[in-house]
Amino acid sequence: MSTDALATLALHQFNAIVQSTPGLRVRDGQQRMAQQVADTFAQTRLRGEAGETESDTSEHAIAVIEAGTGVGKSLAYAAPAIQMALARGTRVLIATATVSLQEQLVHKDLPALAAAMSEPFSFALAKGRARYVCKLKLERLASDESAVDDGLFPEDPDAPGKEAAETREARSAFYTRLADDLASGLWEGDRDQLAIPPDPALWSPIAAVAHTCTGRHCPLFATCTYYERRKELVAAQVIVANHDLLLSSIGARLLPDLSNCLLIIDEAHHLPRTALAQFACEMDISRLAWLQQLASRALRVASQVEVESDIDVAASSARLRVALQDAERLVIDLYGAPLREAMARAPGKPASHRARAPRGELPPPLSEALAQVLQHAGDLLQGLRAIAQALREHIREEPADARRLSQLYAQVGQLAPRLEAVHASASLLLQEAPQGGAPAAKWFTLASAGDAPVVRAHASPLLPGAALAAHLWSAVRGAVLTSATLTSCGNFDFFLREAGLSDDAGVTTLQVASPFDYARQGTLTASRTEALPRDVAAFTRQMVRALLDDLAQVRSGALVLFTSREQMRQAVEQLPPALRTIVLVQGQQPRLKLLAAHRERVARGAPSVIFGLQSFGEGLDLPGALCETLFITKLPFAPPDEPVDEARAEWLRASGGDPFMELVVPATAMRLAQWVGRAIRSEDDHAQVICYDKRLLHTGYGRRLLHGLPAFTLRERGAPAETTA
């Protein structure tokens, strides 16, 4: 089928669904988005597809689409993409940033679409394997009280033996209850099905992680929850995952091959930050008890199987320990003075210090020590892999002993991620900047633990775009990236740079405006304070006074967004009794409970105000009366104190750039647009936004921020008169 025919078929399916579904109507913006999705995927040449040539392997088609609130983007991308996948015999992979959107897609949008489409399709939710239980490890911990000592608790190898009796009993009761529920069918082995999310320290020892899994060699493989879910994924034509899983599984077989599927990345504005977190590394170079345990377990296994390897595990472990201790000593000598001074001033009190290597350049002695760490960690990893391979072969040859040997494998594997983290961290810490390129960000954290410091080493790529270009886009043939906020200050330039797509000839951008009439439905009031935000104390005092005056006028639902916890604390402290009864504060109760209380108050006609921080500025859906007023206490500039941001600003300045205008302002513009997006959620909503930061109207960069916001009716209000007690 030709490219034009494929696009026409996909768009026809979208139009048929819109016309046949009660409550839906044709929207110009949604139609334009669906057309772009159809055109993009029609141009995609998948690996192995008829007509593909060698030249196709380096080409791809990617659409970056900003779809304003109310466009209906999930239908606009899902209907044409799924129709095209069915026509071409391939699959659709949708990756989101939040659990709430995943649940909406899997439980609402995709079932409705499957019922409306002319051709049926199957879909499934993909999760990381750590979300599922390992039945073999659970069996061990639920049936044998001594199992808490056999190495399935990775956080502190010495901790289980030192636990109080009541804590050990609580652990045992937890695992016994899970095992009983699993056996009775009350629970299927999915962590997310548990009524109360378990403590990570309790869940980690029973998670079905790859390092502890012998796969098809496990005696419980036939009933494994994780592998049952994988079968569903193999059969599904549409798979919903998250950004983390998308990036972490590149090259693995969990998700569809990116060169042979249609990829949709929703909530795409999160992707660059997720990439930085995904490709960053860190390691503990102080607490090394795990290393001895890992070696002893590996040697115990090696004594029972025949291993083909020249690596001396005991010697490699000992050499790695010495190298890590040398690195720790050098870090303390080089960067530990502030921590020692803090510990001396306040003995026994917690203290911490962070030191970043300027320009990503480590002192030569520290680089030499880390080179030794890298070498010995690599040797030990090689030895462990040989032992693991031999153990798997032995399990296959001796199925009667598979249960015991699989449990040994799990004990060794539980500590293997620490060794891999050491190897990866040392490698990135030693990485030199490419010619003309950005160096990695490198830093160390030191914290007091009794009389001795605990030292951690960290490294991260500096540019998310470079990491995404190397790891993701090089594998992708066809993709659509979408979100309500992908432009910054009115253009796509910042996002394209951050996402690694700015110089990509295969990229097309489209901005689809919201169907809402913002000028009619809402107002944006810039309420001035005399003090500038950089005068923190005076600004906060004046802002809180103006905020309290405005809150007294609230008659329905309202949301107040703060830029810091301290700012929110001061506002809470100054609430008069009449307002204290209507304010709900983030963190004082669980999020779902807080939102339920807010909805209940508004439903009975009472005023209700939510005080929230950054996490309430995005993804929070409060339509209609639930948010008739949105208060923004201060422009949401991120504090410039994160090591990666500091290192990037340093590199930009050295390259002749302006970090504030090139990084800070564009990032703030996207964050502010997300915040403002909480106000108008439907075509029937009416709301006002009040911002207390006068920089929005009275600075050049403020006007750039304003340019990226919806076209509210704009008003300005003067500063309130200063009063004294």
Side-chain angles (χ1 to χ4, degrees):
M1 192 178 295
S2 69
T3 296
D4 290 344
L6 281 170
T8 299
L9 177 64
L11 192 62
H12 174 76
Q13 179 67 86
F14 165 77
N15 288 328
I17 291 171
V18 172
Q19 292 165 8
S20 63
T21 304
L24 292 184
R25 62 180 183 274
V26 177
R27 293 175 174 173
D28 178 65
Q30 190 181 45
Q31 175 85 16
R32 289 174 60 212
M33 179 175 178
Q35 179 73 66
Q36 183 62 65
V37 172
D39 289 345
T40 299
F41 286 143
Q43 295 169 29
T44 300
R45 287 290 169 264
L46 301 175
R47 181 178 56 82
E49 194 171 42
E52 181 204 28
T53 65
E54 283 298 318
S55 63
D56 291 326
T57 60
S58 62
E59 297 175 359
H60 54 212
I62 297 176
V64 177
I65 305 173
E66 179 179 88
T69 306
V71 166
K73 65 180 184 299
S74 60
L75 177 60
Y77 64 62
I82 293 171
Q83 177 59 50
M84 187 165 298
L86 294 174
R88 300 172 70 173
T90 187
R91 299 199 281 172
V92 176
L93 173 58
I94 304 173
T96 78
T98 61
V99 172
S100 60
L101 182 52
Q102 288 178 329
E103 292 177 342
Q104 176 187 315
L105 287 166
V106 171
H107 300 303
K108 180 184 175 184
D109 296 348
L110 291 176
L113 192 56
M117 285 186 64
S118 56
E119 185 176 351
F121 66 89
S122 58
F123 55 90
L125 175 63
K127 301 187 214 179
R129 57 186 302 155
R131 311 299 294 183
Y132 300 104
V133 73
C134 170
K135 293 182 178 181
L136 187 70
K137 291 192 287 186
L138 178 61
E139 175 188 89
R140 168 80 168 141
L141 291 172
S143 63
D144 188 347
E145 188 175 341
S146 67
V148 295
D149 295 323
D150 72 4
L152 293 178
F153 295 89
E155 294 306 315
D156 182 354
D158 299 321
K162 297 177 181 179
E163 287 180 325
E166 58 269 23
T167 303
R168 294 167 67 88
E169 290 174 5
R171 280 187 188 272
S172 179
F174 172 75
Y175 295 129
T176 300
R177 184 171 65 254
L178 286 189
D180 290 344
D181 288 348
L182 198 60
S184 65
L186 293 175
W187 181 53
E188 297 178 356
D190 184 337
R191 173 180 174 169
D192 297 324
Q193 294 173 341
L194 297 173
I196 301 175
D199 187 300
L202 286 174
W203 181 259
S204 177
I206 57 172
V209 293
H211 296 86
T212 65
C213 179
T214 54
R216 63 182 66 255
H217 305 308
C218 175
L220 300 182
F221 174 76
T223 62
C224 177
T225 303
Y226 167 68
Y227 282 103
E228 284 299 311
R229 296 295 182 270
R230 279 197 61 172
K231 291 177 187 176
E232 295 175 5
L233 294 182
V234 170
Q237 291 153 304
V238 181
I239 295 175
V240 179
N242 62 33
H243 295 178
D244 279 311
L245 188 59
L246 169 67
L247 296 177
S248 65
S249 61
I250 293 173
R253 291 183 292 178
L254 173 61
L255 298 178
D257 182 349
L258 294 176
S259 69
N260 196 28
C261 76
L262 308 179
L263 174 64
I264 297 167
I265 301 179
D266 204 339
E267 301 176 309
H269 61 284
H270 283 289
L271 187 64
R273 184 58 63 174
T274 302
L276 283 182
Q278 185 66 232
F279 301 123
C281 303
E282 64 176 271
M283 63 174 170
D284 189 333
I285 57 178
S286 292
R287 294 170 292 193
L288 304 178
W290 65 272
L291 186 54
Q292 178 58 40
Q293 279 205 359
L294 177 60
S296 63
R297 293 177 194 174
L299 291 171
R300 187 165 72 249
V301 171
S303 68
Q304 302 181 48
V305 297
E306 186 175 341
V307 181
E308 295 182 5
S309 174
D310 296 330
I311 300 297
D312 185 334
V313 168
S316 294
S317 172
R319 286 192 285 265
L320 176 57
R321 185 184 187 91
V322 170
L324 286 167
Q325 289 171 334
D326 287 345
E328 178 196 28
R329 176 180 52 78
L330 285 164
V331 170
I332 293 172
D333 288 346
L334 289 164
Y335 307 116
L339 180 68
R340 289 192 294 269
E341 292 170 3
M343 294 172 67
R345 286 195 304 269
K349 291 188 177 181
S352 62
H353 174 62
R354 186 181 70 210
R356 182 177 60 83
R359 301 172 300 282
E361 298 173 357
L362 299 177
L366 183 54
S367 292
E368 293 168 8
L370 288 172
Q372 292 296 306
V373 169
L374 181 63
Q375 178 182 333
H376 300 315
D379 290 343
L380 186 53
L381 272 175
Q382 185 178 340
L384 285 180
R385 287 167 183 155
I387 292 172
Q389 177 62 30
L391 185 54
R392 286 194 296 270
E393 292 174 359
H394 197 66
I395 292 172
R396 184 177 65 251
E397 295 167 359
E398 302 289 342
D401 204 19
R403 181 171 262 97
R404 182 183 68 86
L405 294 175
S406 292
Q407 288 167 347
L408 285 177
Y409 188 96
Q411 292 173 29
V412 175
Q414 197 78 10
L415 294 172
R418 294 193 181 195
L419 179 59
E420 292 188 346
V422 167
H423 187 265
S425 299
S427 178
L428 191 50
L429 284 163
L430 290 168
Q431 185 182 96
E432 296 184 2
Q435 186 68 32
K442 305 171 186 179
W443 70 99
F444 302 89
T445 53
L446 303 90
S448 59
D451 295 330
V454 172
V455 181
R456 297 188 68 84
H458 310 256
S460 170
L462 211 57
L463 305 178
L468 287 167
H471 297 282
L472 180 61
W473 307 130
S474 60
V476 167
R477 293 292 183 87
V480 168
L481 288 76
T482 187
S483 168
T485 49
L486 292 181
T487 60
S488 178
C489 305
N491 60 67
F492 285 98
D493 295 350
F494 177 69
F495 176 76
L496 293 177
R497 286 199 307 271
E498 293 296 283
L501 296 171
S502 57
D503 298 321
D504 195 317
V507 172
T508 302
T509 61
L510 173 66
Q511 187 173 12
V512 180
S514 168
F516 304 157
D517 185 350
Y518 284 98
R520 179 184 61 83
Q521 292 179 249
T523 59
L524 171 58
T525 300
S527 180
R528 295 170 53 191
T529 59
E530 287 297 333
L532 284 169
R534 64 170 174 263
D535 185 353
V536 177
F539 173 81
T540 301
R541 183 176 65 251
Q542 294 174 19
M543 178 274 295
V544 169
R545 185 176 67 256
L547 173 64
L548 296 181
D549 289 343
D550 289 333
L551 290 180
Q553 310 305 314
V554 169
R555 295 294 176 264
S556 192
L559 173 64
V560 184
L561 293 174
F562 295 89
T563 57
S564 73
R565 196 169 298 276
E566 173 60 21
Q567 190 189 55
M568 184 168 73
R569 184 194 66 78
Q570 292 188 41
V572 171
E573 282 187 350
Q574 296 180 50
L575 286 171
L579 290 179
R580 194 172 295 272
T581 60
I582 70 168
V583 171
L584 298 162
V585 182
Q586 180 182 355
Q588 291 188 355
Q589 56 183 308
R591 178 184 175 114
L592 292 178
K593 186 176 179 181
L594 181 149
L595 294 176
H598 179 70
R599 292 188 178 97
E600 187 275 329
R601 289 179 181 179
V602 174
R604 58 182 166 85
S608 182
V609 180
I610 296 175
F611 277 15
L613 299 167
Q614 166 62 29
S615 61
F616 274 37
E618 180 177 350
L620 194 63
D621 191 21
L622 298 173
L626 293 173
C627 186
E628 290 189 343
T629 310
L630 171 68
F631 300 98
I632 296 175
T633 58
K634 186 179 178 182
L635 293 177
F637 288 101
D641 56 359
E642 290 298 317
V644 176
D645 295 333
E646 290 176 353
R648 190 168 177 186
E650 175 185 69
W651 174 71
L652 271 174
R653 282 191 293 268
S655 305
D658 182 343
F660 182 73
M661 297 306 294
E662 294 179 39
L663 290 178
V664 177
V665 170
T668 302
M670 295 182 73
R671 193 175 301 113
L672 181 62
Q674 283 285 341
W675 283 25
V676 169
R678 300 313 97 208
I680 303 289
R681 306 298 298 170
S682 76
E683 290 162 320
D684 299 321
D685 283 0
H686 292 270
Q688 62 173 331
V689 179
I690 299 177
C691 176
Y692 297 101
D693 195 327
K694 65 181 181 181
R695 294 176 296 180
L696 186 62
L697 293 184
H698 296 281
T699 62
Y701 61 80
R703 289 187 288 275
R704 284 185 62 192
L705 299 179
L706 193 61
H707 182 64
L709 299 180
F712 288 99
T713 296
L714 187 62
R715 297 174 180 169
E716 184 173 12
R717 189 173 69 185
E722 185 77 57
T723 60
T724 57

